[in-house]
Amino acid sequence: GYPELGMGRLTQYVTDGAGFASFASTTAFKEYVAYIVRPSYAMHERMGILKTTITGQTLPENMSFRNFLSGRVLWDEAMAAASASWVNENPKGQLIALIGGDHVKFGCGVPARCARQIRGDNGLNSVRTLMLNPRVADTVADPTLVSRTTAESGNWLSEYTLQLRYTATGAPPAVTAGA
């Protein structure tokens, strides 16, 4: 988790401490954690890969959700900080980043973190995301639970989940087609 990094190392990944802290209190971020990060943790757990860190370190027991979330958030923040830094240094340039789907779903991973760190009034208006060749599994909370039978039947539309941004308190995390 964060405490183990120490402030010196943490600031290498988090260049905007105040924005980083306030980002975690938004409704959108909480829904991102519930709909994207928690299912990802569960999938990693079922696959039996929570005892190995991204650096290859073997843990005596499964990584806690807190540490998994910390790692995911720092990973997103580091990608966003590097992207925003380049955009800020090249205001007439165009940055294209190819990153994993869970880091862009619902805009609360890297895109919103990058937008937060872009100087000026551009922010979210200058960041766009696009999922290449999305599949049914890309629209559900846990892609390992998508039925192969459903995919083979070609009944795709009824299985897609629309990813809508919202700010209203109590709004549903997703709207399922046909509902």
Side-chain angles (χ1 to χ4, degrees):
Y2 307 131
E4 287 78 28
L5 286 178
M7 286 307 292
R9 187 134 184 243
L10 185 61
T11 57
Q12 292 176 342
Y13 303 104
V14 180
T15 58
D16 171 27
F20 178 79
S22 67
F23 191 82
S25 66
T26 65
T27 300
F29 178 73
K30 290 173 185 170
E31 291 301 326
Y32 172 72
V33 170
Y35 198 78
I36 301 299
V37 182
R38 276 204 182 275
S40 179
Y41 177 82
M43 182 177 67
H44 281 76
E45 187 173 41
R46 280 194 308 281
M47 293 170 58
I49 58 176
L50 287 175
K51 287 186 179 179
T52 305
T53 68
I54 195 165
T55 61
Q57 176 187 5
T58 302
L59 305 172
E61 57 190 35
N62 279 349
M63 180 184 314
S64 68
F65 177 73
R66 179 182 173 191
N67 285 353
F68 184 85
L69 176 62
S70 294
R72 174 68 66 91
V73 167
L74 286 175
W75 192 359
D76 286 351
E77 187 73 13
M79 288 190 283
S83 299
S85 175
W86 188 91
V87 170
N88 288 331
E89 292 170 13
N90 301 278
K92 294 193 186 282
Q94 181 175 19
L95 174 74
I96 298 175
L98 299 175
I99 58 178
D102 280 358
H103 297 281
V104 299
K105 288 178 182 174
F106 294 96
C108 287
V110 178
R113 291 177 181 281
C114 178
R116 187 191 82 233
Q117 297 177 64
I118 293 175
R119 287 192 297 265
D121 296 329
N122 291 334
L124 280 175
N125 292 327
S126 62
V127 176
R128 298 287 181 257
T129 60
L130 170 70
M131 289 193 74
L132 301 175
N133 302 318
R135 301 166 292 134
V136 171
D138 293 320
T139 69
V140 295
D142 188 342
T144 64
L145 301 179
V146 173
S147 166
R148 180 179 291 277
T149 306
T150 301
E152 290 170 354
S153 74
N155 190 9
W156 299 106
L157 186 59
S158 66
E159 297 295 324
Y160 275 90
T161 300
L162 300 176
Q163 296 182 23
L164 303 174
R165 290 187 183 174
Y166 63 90
T167 57
T169 303
V175 176
T176 304

